[in-house]
Amino acid sequence: MGNESTANDTAGGTRGGPYDRGAVRALIDRLTAEGRTVLTAPEGKVVADAYGIPTPGEALATGPDEAVAAATAMGLPVVLKIVSPQIPHKTDAGGVLVGLGTADAVREGYATIVANARAYDPSATIVGVQVQQLVPPGQEVIVGAVTDPTFGKVVAFGLGGVLVEVIKDVTFRLAPATPDDARSMLDSIAAAGVLTGTRGAEPVDRDALAEVIVRLSDLVTDFPEIAEADLNPVVALPRSAGSPGAIAADVRIILDPDPAPPRPTFAREDILAAMERLMKPRSVAVIGASAEAGKIGNSVMRNLVGGGFAGEIHPINPKADEILGLPARASVLDVPGPVDVAVFAIPAAFVPGALEEAGRKGVAAAVLIPSGFAETGDQELQDKVVAIARKYGVRLLGPNIYGYYYTPSDLSATFCTPYDVKGGVALSSQSGGIGMAILGFSRTTRTGVSAIVGLGNKADLDEDDLLTFFADDPHTTAIAMHLEDLKDGRAFVEAARRTVPRKPVVVLKAGRTALGARAAGSHTGALAGDDRVYDDILRQAGVIRAPGLNEMLEYARALPVLPTPSGENVVIITGAGGSGVLLSDACVEAGLTLMDIPPDLDEAFRRFIPPFGAAGNPIDITGGEPPSTYEATIRLGLSDPRIHALILGYWHTIVTPPMVFAELTARVVAEFRARGVDKPVVASLAGDTEVEEASAHLFERGIVAYPYTTEKPVAALGAKYRWARAAGLLPRSSP
Amino acid sequence: MGNESTANDTAGGTRGGPYDRGAVRALIDRLTAEGRTVLTAPEGKVVADAYGIPTPGEALATGPDEAVAAATAMGLPVVLKIVSPQIPHKTDAGGVLVGLGTADAVREGYATIVANARAYDPSATIVGVQVQQLVPPGQEVIVGAVTDPTFGKVVAFGLGGVLVEVIKDVTFRLAPATPDDARSMLDSIAAAGVLTGTRGAEPVDRDALAEVIVRLSDLVTDFPEIAEADLNPVVALPRSAGSPGAIAADVRIILDPDPAPPRPTFAREDILAAMERLMKPRSVAVIGASAEAGKIGNSVMRNLVGGGFAGEIHPINPKADEILGLPARASVLDVPGPVDVAVFAIPAAFVPGALEEAGRKGVAAAVLIPSGFAETGDQELQDKVVAIARKYGVRLLGPNIYGYYYTPSDLSATFCTPYDVKGGVALSSQSGGIGMAILGFSRTTRTGVSAIVGLGNKADLDEDDLLTFFADDPHTTAIAMHLEDLKDGRAFVEAARRTVPRKPVVVLKAGRTALGARAAGSHTGALAGDDRVYDDILRQAGVIRAPGLNEMLEYARALPVLPTPSGENVVIITGAGGSGVLLSDACVEAGLTLMDIPPDLDEAFRRFIPPFGAAGNPIDITGGEPPSTYEATIRLGLSDPRIHALILGYWHTIVTPPMVFAELTARVVAEFRARGVDKPVVASLAGDTEVEEASAHLFERGIVAYPYTTEKPVAALGAKYRWARAAGLLPRSSP
């Protein structure tokens, strides 16, 4: 024991370290053999030492010189405690001295407490004196690690006391955490200012604190048996020579001898191969195809045919000769040539038999529309179906879904209605109802869509498979997903991390409140983890989280339309001062930076606006201005390279009617885009009902515009910025 | 000095007290005479004593018996300090003893430090020994009072340290605060749990803490010269016999010798009389009326005539004989008979002259459309106009506005277009642009409106005048106001408090962020107070604050439509489980309570839904159910008196198409309303574009319904609940 233990890296550290993994393995094996799950404090210290997590120094001295040497090595002041098996109550025996600050005091102290102990019990065996470092006063924080049901090992950080226990000011990251992850945690808590010395105190040693986080996260990654680890408190100290910077004053570790096994995963190339055939099939079979209107098997057929799918369509129905003019077969096995996708429109009970046939036929994917599986309590039937699919290497979409759309293939494999506005966003929903809302919203707003996919029970294919495909799909420029749970949070994060550098990923995570999670529980049977974990880890993966359904839909509509900004300088140009104020508020909410306009640019803007207008930012061109004022200021905003994005506030007047504003703005933006200047421009239109047509006109031309709201256009721009930052496309802003 | 001072209430306390106002008056007068603004600690203690705010006990003892008596009276332990003009450095002289916990220790201690002092300086005069109470350890909090530019004296409360300084976890109330106000402050901070003993500690004496807040708020109310008062820390202690419960360990008071004078106010009956004539005029003159299309004076005339105003309309234009078939006069003085309202459609420079004439004519109100006053920097012209108005007792609307609408009078006194969908909501906007957005939104959603009023520069009439009228107006059932500042926050709060018990008041306060406030500053020249003060005080007044423009508009549309709930039990009935989860999340966001369904009711619902549906709450009737399932469950929800509000989640299917759902829901709700069962019902419709028509059908029939969003219907219901609670219409829910 003691911090003199040598750090032998027996396992070859790839992250932090070197670590003495052998010491921890031996300890855990011993505890497991003993059937114990809770480590004692000394055992905790062994683990901390092995992973280089500083704890208060501790040593046994058998003479005054040894005590002085130990105390000097670990750092003064120290506590001395008599060590004698016959003296359990050390204080009563005068066997404890606290706060000895000099070598002389330690030397004298040693003599004193040994003398006291002898006097107290002359027959006692004096083993020696325990020398313990007194932790210097500093900012107390908590570093912990827990096992999340969705994400597995996660590391947590927060300030101690009220802030964690009452305010819940804690932040989480996936373990293992990189040093960057760890440093970002220090900035992610509401009380972050405490660590940087906001209150006049010295700033703490951030690197040392981050190092403790990294090391603890490595520990729980290396040893899945560690269910929980709590360093509480860690005393964070100012940076100074010779100081450890952070000391874990208490180490608590709890084991789970039976950790959950990792979920089986598919290889990336296998996922892509199956998804390719699912999304771009040459041949689709509809199992349960029907000629009878109102039947699901009829709707699916009509949507495939009516949607314009150019590949083969094979209705499968033993009782029909032809359906919609296509020859019907009794079994998918009767189809001549290969079949890529089999869409199932038959009752749940018949799925296993038909899936066997589809498997033998070699289909890549089975789209299971029917309900009646896990969601109605029949987990057994669902497991059976999954087993059949695994046997034949068939991937499953669903069950319990509306089907899916992939517009580049003109594919509407669904019982809803075809969708034909091609465009960049791929959407998915776990719930059918939300899928319907996606369809209706997209249709009414003419949102350009590459795919809409129902995931339902997610018995097999899930969000990370879709991400893997959409990341590479040239037709998809943004992805938006509604989900209630993640079957494998780590696989999702991995897929998201690969996707985000290329295209934005928006997630609407339902069940984010305790009540919502309870509803999700009753709905899907999924165990919902703490939403703060979801929130932090999705952000860590660069995912844009939509606060609600409407926001997810609006982001899905706007993100593919908006070009990517090249910097943080946002400028508001507004005809209505009142809108300018609300747009400024919205910028703060959306995490946007209103550019500090330099004097020359300010002067340039002032040339176009009335003397009583306000330059600065917002630039208030004032109401009642003619189209030329809007045009001149928008041109200036687009042409000055220091400005990276524009927010326009339009005010309906007789002098500049809505469509005049819309047309001039669209024209000027198009002109600049033709010249290669492609900045994001969003607009809020305040006015009578003509602003609706004007907003639609602008949106169709790549200017994200909304009537009667100052919040939505700014929120959409904010979402684009959040993605651009996560994708590393913007110069790092200061924290 | 000392806490033995007698509390003589020299001024007759109407709130807390009794207070020794005379002592504070004398002290402040002396300080003012001396030209001092910062009180010393002993002076602060005098003030605290006068207002019964407990501070650590303090007394001068001239002998050991006196010291013991004082220490026992104030409570042990105590500190003893030598008092001698010749011994400034008491500690060096052995003249300080800390933490004496018994009478004997005090007696001995007295002797010891006197002996020490004598030994230190035999020639020193020993005046005696200062006995000071040691404040027992407890939860440190801050109680403060500041002078807000909008609301005047406000009292603040928060926990000390990081929570106030870094997390900004502080709450504000108007001073004077009632005991209820003060207790609500203890619950309003994020760290409220600390005070109720969340962390295993004993709960603090809430009454004692509330009493300190009340007393400090009374102090600053009684003495406007007190600009700031800070009790920091106040040590909050557990309730126990003989304990003061809370002790202000430090009292800091700063004076402002020249406090702002109160703003002149109008008597309520005078406001009502003028507003009556403004809103229900028998005769309106249009100064600057014009026959020329495109001129403001022409638009106003056409809107008055075309809007159907049944009273007299008098065009005033010296160069015309008639306008729109009505005889024109050279001056308002030429109009035969009285004129209630003069609408000004002339350039700013001509306003003073014409206003003189209007004043001589005895108009009640002048509606000043023109801009060119304070908003363009000409404060002088605006002041001149206000002075003329005051001279004649004319009230001013504007200047710099679009005008106003009052639909019960068919009055469209504006240069925009007439509005004729009569209904319950009165709207106002400080900004013209936002006014246009109100008009367009209302028109496209067919929102029933009683009034739309532009306030512009608010040189005279402002939000509290409007509230005073709308509170009594039988045509108005809800009020929604956009504002950037309040000229007189207290008058607004007073008017809001009178209004809220009768009808909801929604406020969109622009400039709620620092950037927004800066924009508001450049826009209106108003000094924006801290937004947290606005937030807390508007809530204290029972106002529903809308987070953005779109929310304000949606609340304005929904609140008059929704009946008032009679209790907190909200039930979600949904066809889409996925919507149920999102609706549950939205309920938490909106502060709604999902009813805990009792077993008999659960069983009753289960009778209607498939066995794999989920009862509980949300009640998931599952997709694919026929209209009869929606109808049966909605009927049950309306008929069971334990349920107070319904949230419906509709999922578009072939079995129950959108309009079928809409018609059955409207029919059932109407049937129950006819029987006197009038519960709020809101709906979220997920589906293809037909859900838009279905939502409109429902909204027109008193069911607040939206397509493609789970958040909006729940937010509207939440706003209704916030109002119902503020109006005291719901049984108090536990905090």
Side-chain angles (χ1 to χ4, degrees):
Chain A
M1 212 146 60
N3 65 351
E4 71 275 36
S5 75
T6 318
N8 289 321
D9 184 11
T10 54
T14 52
R15 296 179 304 267
Y19 301 133
D20 184 357
R21 293 194 177 85
V24 180
R25 170 53 54 213
L27 176 67
I28 291 180
D29 287 348
R30 179 166 62 78
L31 290 167
T32 307
E34 292 171 10
R36 282 171 54 206
T37 56
V38 182
L39 276 68
T40 62
E43 287 163 351
K45 189 168 162 53
V46 169
V47 174
D49 288 346
Y51 271 71
I53 295 167
T55 53
E58 211 176 273
L60 179 69
T62 52
D65 288 346
E66 248 181 79
V68 169
T72 315
M74 70 183 60
L76 295 158
V78 296
V79 182
L80 300 185
K81 292 181 187 170
I82 195 76
V83 180
S84 162
Q86 287 79 33
I87 307 179
H89 301 296
K90 299 174 170 66
T91 310
D92 294 352
V96 177
L97 284 173
V98 175
L100 307 176
T102 64
D104 284 351
V106 171
R107 188 180 306 280
E108 280 174 37
Y110 187 96
T112 305
I113 66 171
V114 168
N116 286 351
R118 292 238 162 85
Y120 180 76
D121 180 356
S123 68
T125 314
I126 308 289
V127 178
V129 169
Q130 178 100 27
V131 185
Q132 285 180 334
Q133 187 183 13
L134 256 189
V135 180
Q139 177 61 49
E140 296 198 354
V141 304
I142 297 178
V143 177
V146 291
T147 309
D148 181 81
T150 301
F151 296 101
K153 303 299 179 192
V154 299
V155 64
F157 171 76
L159 299 198
V162 173
L163 286 158
V164 165
E165 291 168 43
V166 181
I167 307 268
K168 313 282 183 207
D169 185 18
V170 194
T171 188
F172 299 88
R173 296 292 183 280
L174 279 187
T178 66
D180 270 354
D181 289 339
R183 276 188 292 268
S184 80
M185 294 179 85
L186 308 187
D187 295 323
S188 295
I189 57 169
V194 171
L195 305 174
T196 53
T198 297
R199 302 179 63 216
E202 243 184 299
V204 305
D205 184 340
R206 295 168 63 83
D207 292 337
L209 208 45
E211 189 64 31
V212 170
I213 294 171
V214 167
R215 286 168 183 267
L216 188 72
S217 82
D218 286 346
L219 169 69
V220 295
T221 304
D222 291 343
F223 297 95
E225 304 96 319
I226 299 183
E228 288 176 45
D230 240 358
L231 311 180
N232 181 12
V234 172
V235 180
L237 303 167
R239 185 189 293 272
S240 80
S243 157
I247 299 176
D250 193 27
V251 180
R252 288 187 51 228
I253 293 175
I254 296 173
L255 304 180
D256 175 358
D258 194 19
R263 208 166 170 263
T265 51
F266 291 84
R268 191 174 133 71
E269 51 271 32
D270 294 339
I271 295 169
L272 281 174
M275 289 297 302
E276 275 289 317
R277 287 180 69 194
L278 176 67
M279 292 302 188
K280 303 166 188 172
R282 279 161 302 172
S283 165
V284 175
V286 178
I287 297 175
S290 168
E292 194 182 325
K295 291 233 167 190
I296 285 180
N298 179 257
S299 301
V300 172
M301 281 300 298
R302 295 208 305 187
N303 290 334
L304 281 171
V305 174
F309 176 60
E312 297 168 24
I313 303 172
H314 298 288
I316 310 297
N317 185 332
K319 293 179 191 153
D321 291 329
E322 63 158 50
I323 291 168
L324 299 192
L326 295 166
R329 325 271 172 184
S331 158
V332 69
L333 290 166
D334 302 335
V335 173
V339 172
D340 294 306
V341 173
V343 182
F344 284 61
I346 53 177
F350 301 115
V351 168
L355 186 59
E356 282 278 356
E357 295 183 349
R360 280 157 55 201
K361 182 68 184 171
V363 308
V367 178
L368 304 183
I369 290 179
S371 55
F373 294 89
E375 88 286 359
T376 60
D378 203 341
Q379 183 68 48
E380 203 181 329
L381 181 60
Q382 185 164 315
D383 291 345
K384 187 175 170 185
V385 165
V386 171
I388 295 167
R390 290 276 187 276
K391 184 169 71 182
Y392 292 103
V394 177
R395 300 299 307 261
L396 301 176
L397 191 63
N400 184 28
I401 58 171
Y402 48 89
Y404 73 111
Y405 301 81
Y406 186 64
T407 64
S409 304
D410 297 316
L411 187 66
S412 297
T414 160
F415 59 77
C416 309
T417 43
Y419 192 79
D420 59 4
V421 186
K422 295 185 183 184
V425 69
L427 297 118
S428 72
S429 75
Q430 186 163 350
S431 137
I434 303 310
M436 292 294 94
I438 288 173
L439 190 66
F441 174 88
S442 300
R443 204 188 300 284
T444 202
T445 57
R446 297 198 56 74
T447 295
V449 163
S450 64
I452 303 175
V453 183
L455 284 172
N457 295 10
K458 301 197 282 199
D460 175 18
L461 286 170
D462 63 7
E463 289 83 359
D464 46 88
D465 299 295
L466 296 189
L467 276 184
T468 299
F469 173 76
F470 290 132
D472 282 1
D473 180 27
H475 300 287
T476 297
T477 55
I479 297 144
M481 300 180 144
H482 157 267
L483 54 93
E484 293 176 358
D485 60 2
L486 288 170
K487 300 293 179 198
D488 184 345
R490 288 199 166 241
F492 180 83
V493 167
E494 214 174 289
R497 281 180 172 164
R498 275 197 311 265
T499 310
V500 166
R502 288 184 280 168
K503 41 196 91 169
V505 178
V506 177
V507 162
L508 169 62
K509 165 67 174 70
R512 71 184 189 291
T513 62
L515 276 179
R518 206 179 63 184
S522 69
H523 180 229
T524 66
L527 176 59
D530 187 309
D531 189 65
R532 268 184 303 261
V533 177
Y534 260 98
D535 206 53
D536 285 341
I537 290 179
L538 291 184
R539 189 179 303 111
Q540 183 189 7
V543 166
I544 302 161
R545 193 161 174 192
L549 174 58
N550 191 249
E551 287 89 347
M552 178 187 88
L553 295 170
E554 295 293 2
Y555 294 174
R557 183 184 172 207
L559 287 177
V561 168
L562 283 175
T564 303
S566 62
E568 295 280 358
N569 284 338
V570 178
V571 168
I572 299 172
I573 298 174
T574 182
S579 295
V581 183
L582 291 170
L583 290 168
S584 301
D585 283 341
C587 282
V588 173
E589 296 281 308
L592 295 173
T593 307
L594 280 194
M595 181 187 190
D596 219 348
I597 311 269
D600 67 302
L601 192 53
D602 188 78
E603 207 180 298
F605 274 114
R606 277 185 195 283
R607 249 175 261 136
F608 300 121
I609 63 180
F612 52 87
N617 194 1
I619 294 156
D620 183 358
I621 68 170
T622 79
E625 284 298 295
S628 58
T629 308
Y630 278 105
E631 177 156 352
T633 48
I634 293 170
R635 277 186 183 279
L636 181 52
L638 291 174
S639 58
D640 193 290
R642 291 167 293 182
I643 298 175
H644 303 120
L646 290 183
I647 298 171
L648 308 179
Y650 164 75
W651 180 7
H652 187 162
T653 62
I654 300 177
V655 185
T656 307
M659 277 308 293
V660 171
F661 165 77
E663 279 162 9
L664 85 83
T665 302
R667 175 170 46 77
V668 171
V669 169
E671 183 193 315
F672 274 83
R673 287 192 181 156
R675 285 168 22 201
V677 178
D678 198 10
K679 303 179 183 180
V681 181
V682 303
S684 158
L685 281 72
D688 213 329
T689 50
E690 296 101 294
V691 297
E692 296 174 28
E693 187 198 348
S695 298
H697 182 91
L698 286 166
F699 218 118
E700 280 161 25
R701 284 154 187 83
I703 294 125
V704 167
Y706 293 91
Y708 320 131
T709 166
T710 45
E711 303 83 28
K712 280 188 183 181
V714 177
L717 183 63
K720 191 83 190 190
Y721 264 98
R722 272 149 71 196
W723 168 67
R725 288 187 207 109
L729 299 173
L730 290 179
R732 269 233 175 166
S733 55
S734 54
Chain B
M1 211 144 62
N3 65 352
E4 71 276 36
S5 76
T6 319
N8 289 319
D9 184 10
T10 55
T14 52
R15 296 179 302 267
Y19 300 134
D20 184 357
R21 292 194 177 83
V24 180
R25 171 51 54 214
L27 176 67
I28 290 180
D29 287 349
R30 179 165 63 77
L31 289 167
T32 307
E34 293 171 9
R36 283 172 50 206
T37 56
V38 181
L39 275 68
T40 61
E43 286 163 352
K45 189 167 162 56
V46 169
V47 174
D49 288 347
Y51 271 71
I53 294 167
T55 53
E58 210 175 272
L60 179 69
T62 52
D65 289 345
E66 249 182 79
V68 169
T72 315
M74 68 184 61
L76 295 159
V78 294
V79 181
L80 299 186
K81 293 181 186 171
I82 196 76
V83 180
S84 162
Q86 287 80 34
I87 306 180
H89 302 295
K90 299 176 172 63
T91 309
D92 295 352
V96 177
L97 283 172
V98 176
L100 307 175
T102 64
D104 282 351
V106 172
R107 187 179 308 280
E108 281 174 37
Y110 188 95
T112 304
I113 68 171
V114 168
N116 287 349
R118 291 240 161 82
Y120 181 77
D121 180 356
S123 69
T125 313
I126 308 290
V127 178
V129 168
Q130 180 101 25
V131 186
Q132 284 180 337
Q133 187 184 13
L134 256 191
V135 180
Q139 176 61 48
E140 295 198 354
V141 303
I142 296 178
V143 178
V146 291
T147 309
D148 180 82
T150 302
F151 295 101
K153 303 298 179 193
V154 298
V155 65
F157 171 77
L159 299 199
V162 173
L163 286 158
V164 165
E165 289 167 45
V166 181
I167 307 267
K168 314 281 184 206
D169 185 20
V170 195
T171 187
F172 298 89
R173 296 292 183 280
L174 281 186
T178 66
D180 270 353
D181 289 338
R183 276 188 292 268
S184 79
M185 294 178 85
L186 309 187
D187 296 323
S188 295
I189 56 170
V194 171
L195 304 174
T196 52
T198 296
R199 302 180 62 217
E202 242 184 301
V204 306
D205 184 340
R206 295 168 64 84
D207 291 338
L209 207 47
E211 188 66 31
V212 170
I213 294 172
V214 167
R215 285 169 183 266
L216 187 73
S217 82
D218 286 347
L219 169 69
V220 295
T221 304
D222 291 343
F223 298 95
E225 304 97 320
I226 299 183
E228 287 176 45
D230 240 357
L231 311 179
N232 180 12
V234 173
V235 180
L237 303 167
R239 185 190 293 273
S240 78
S243 157
I247 299 176
D250 192 28
V251 179
R252 289 187 51 229
I253 293 175
I254 296 172
L255 304 180
D256 174 359
D258 195 18
R263 207 165 171 262
T265 52
F266 291 85
R268 190 174 134 72
E269 50 271 29
D270 293 339
I271 295 169
L272 280 173
M275 288 298 301
E276 274 289 316
R277 286 181 68 194
L278 176 66
M279 292 301 189
K280 302 168 188 168
R282 275 160 306 174
S283 167
V284 176
V286 179
I287 296 175
S290 168
E292 193 181 326
K295 293 233 168 191
I296 285 180
N298 179 257
S299 300
V300 172
M301 281 300 297
R302 294 208 305 186
N303 290 334
L304 281 171
V305 173
F309 176 58
E312 297 169 23
I313 303 172
H314 299 288
I316 311 297
N317 186 333
K319 293 178 192 157
D321 290 329
E322 64 158 47
I323 292 170
L324 298 193
L326 295 165
R329 326 272 172 183
S331 158
V332 68
L333 290 166
D334 301 334
V335 173
V339 172
D340 293 307
V341 173
V343 182
F344 284 61
I346 53 176
F350 301 116
V351 168
L355 186 58
E356 282 279 354
E357 295 183 349
R360 280 157 55 202
K361 182 68 184 173
V363 308
V367 178
L368 303 183
I369 290 178
S371 53
F373 294 87
E375 87 286 359
T376 61
D378 203 342
Q379 182 69 46
E380 204 180 329
L381 181 60
Q382 185 165 314
D383 291 346
K384 186 174 171 185
V385 164
V386 171
I388 295 167
R390 290 275 186 277
K391 183 169 73 180
Y392 292 104
V394 176
R395 298 302 305 265
L396 301 176
L397 190 64
N400 184 29
I401 57 171
Y402 48 89
Y404 73 111
Y405 301 82
Y406 186 64
T407 64
S409 303
D410 297 314
L411 187 64
S412 298
T414 161
F415 59 77
C416 307
T417 43
Y419 192 81
D420 59 4
V421 185
K422 296 186 184 184
V425 70
L427 297 117
S428 73
S429 75
Q430 186 162 349
S431 139
I434 304 308
M436 291 294 95
I438 288 172
L439 190 65
F441 174 88
S442 299
R443 204 188 301 283
T444 202
T445 56
R446 297 197 57 72
T447 297
V449 163
S450 65
I452 302 175
V453 184
L455 284 171
N457 295 9
K458 301 196 281 199
D460 176 17
L461 285 170
D462 63 8
E463 289 83 359
D464 47 87
D465 299 296
L466 296 189
L467 275 183
T468 301
F469 173 76
F470 290 132
D472 282 1
D473 179 27
H475 299 288
T476 297
T477 55
I479 298 144
M481 300 179 146
H482 158 266
L483 54 94
E484 292 176 357
D485 61 1
L486 288 169
K487 302 291 178 198
D488 185 343
R490 290 200 164 241
F492 180 83
V493 166
E494 213 174 289
R497 280 179 171 164
R498 275 198 311 263
T499 309
V500 166
R502 286 184 282 168
K503 42 196 89 170
V505 178
V506 176
V507 163
L508 169 61
K509 166 66 175 70
R512 71 185 189 289
T513 63
L515 276 179
R518 205 179 64 183
S522 69
H523 179 228
T524 66
L527 175 59
D530 187 308
D531 189 66
R532 269 184 301 261
V533 177
Y534 261 97
D535 205 55
D536 284 341
I537 290 178
L538 290 185
R539 188 179 304 113
Q540 183 188 9
V543 166
I544 301 162
R545 194 161 175 194
L549 174 57
N550 190 248
E551 286 90 346
M552 180 187 88
L553 296 170
E554 294 293 1
Y555 294 174
R557 182 183 173 209
L559 287 177
V561 167
L562 283 175
T564 303
S566 62
E568 295 280 359
N569 285 337
V570 177
V571 168
I572 299 172
I573 298 173
T574 182
S579 295
V581 183
L582 291 169
L583 291 167
S584 300
D585 283 342
C587 282
V588 173
E589 295 282 307
L592 294 174
T593 307
L594 281 194
M595 181 187 188
D596 219 346
I597 311 269
D600 66 301
L601 193 51
D602 188 78
E603 205 180 302
F605 274 113
R606 277 185 195 282
R607 247 174 262 137
F608 300 120
I609 63 180
F612 52 89
N617 194 2
I619 294 157
D620 182 358
I621 68 170
T622 79
E625 285 296 296
S628 58
T629 307
Y630 278 105
E631 176 156 353
T633 48
I634 294 170
R635 279 187 181 278
L636 181 52
L638 290 173
S639 58
D640 193 291
R642 291 167 294 182
I643 298 174
H644 303 119
L646 291 184
I647 297 172
L648 307 180
Y650 165 75
W651 181 7
H652 188 162
T653 61
I654 301 177
V655 185
T656 308
M659 278 308 293
V660 170
F661 165 77
E663 280 163 7
L664 86 83
T665 302
R667 175 170 46 77
V668 171
V669 169
E671 183 193 315
F672 275 84
R673 286 193 181 153
R675 283 164 28 195
V677 178
D678 199 8
K679 303 179 184 181
V681 181
V682 303
S684 159
L685 281 71
D688 213 331
T689 50
E690 297 101 293
V691 297
E692 295 175 30
E693 187 198 349
S695 298
H697 182 91
L698 285 165
F699 218 118
E700 279 162 26
R701 283 156 187 83
I703 293 125
V704 167
Y706 293 92
Y708 319 131
T709 167
T710 44
E711 302 82 27
K712 281 188 181 181
V714 177
L717 183 63
K720 192 82 189 192
Y721 264 100
R722 270 148 73 196
W723 168 67
R725 288 186 206 110
L729 299 173
L730 289 179
R732 271 235 174 163
S733 55
S734 55

